[in-house]
Amino acid sequence: MQIKLKYGNTNTFFIHGMNGNLLVDTDYAGTLPAFYRAIKAHNIKISDITYVLATHYHPDHIGLISELMKQGVRLLVIDTQYPYIHFADSIFGRDHSLAYEPIHEDNAIIISTEESRAFLANIGIDGEIVATTSHSADSISLILDSGECFVGDLEPIEYLAAYEQNEKLKYDWELVMRYAPKTIYYAHANEKHCD
């Protein structure tokens, strides 16, 4: 079961597992009060969130991670994302009103995409994480065996023809479509139901 949380400009997804729950993406720094309202509306407590996973480390996807980690949520990082964890620090640092605290990666759980299926299975979520790097070098997608696919900022598949020369984007969508997804969830667009 997954719940879409819309409390800013970035869609956040809460995915329920049998032995733990996963939050995919957060919004920009400073949106914590709105996040609290969004989870309360769905009867979710912070203590219900076991792990948080960013589809990539741009500021509009990781702004609340430090805040959530301070409240006991564990950060799940794919090893290829690790060098990008502090990508947004200087961006947030320009606005002192945000009082942004950088992510403490020492407390993160770092796995490879190859290890993702086993890791997710341990929390009762059937699926895997794959690298989809056409948007950014640290971009990943979460693909569940039940057919839900969370692709972050991957350019929507319906626009693929407009990016005919973008081989990386074509490759990413070929990879995702191999899993025969039923529904594709984007960070900044409405979900797409696949035929």
Side-chain angles (χ1 to χ4, degrees), residues 111-125 127-128:
I111 63 169
S112 66
T113 53
E114 292 79 15
E115 296 168 315
S116 66
R117 179 168 286 278
F119 182 90
L120 292 169
N122 282 335
I123 58 172
I125 295 173
E128 64 188 272

Side-chain angles (χ1 to χ4, degrees), residues 98-162:
L98 294 175
Y100 177 75
E101 185 178 324
I103 293 167
H104 295 291
E105 67 269 25
D106 301 351
N107 301 325
I109 297 167
I110 303 161
I111 63 169
S112 66
T113 53
E114 292 79 15
E115 296 168 315
S116 66
R117 179 168 286 278
F119 182 90
L120 292 169
N122 282 335
I123 58 172
I125 295 173
D126 296 323
E128 64 188 272
I129 298 165
V130 298
T132 46
T133 59
S134 57
H135 175 68
S136 63
D138 60 327
S139 288
I140 55 93
S141 293
L142 169 65
I143 302 174
L144 304 184
D145 293 351
S146 52
E148 293 82 20
C149 181
F150 304 87
V151 299
D153 284 357
L154 193 60
E155 196 64 45
I157 192 167
E158 50 268 36
Y159 303 149
L160 194 54

Side-chain angles (χ1 to χ4, degrees), residues 60-80:
D60 57 334
H61 290 255
I62 57 95
L64 301 182
I65 287 179
S66 289
E67 301 277 0
L68 294 174
M69 289 177 77
K70 282 195 273 188
Q71 297 179 68
V73 179
R74 302 289 309 273
L75 174 60
L76 178 61
V77 179
I78 298 302
D79 55 4
T80 54

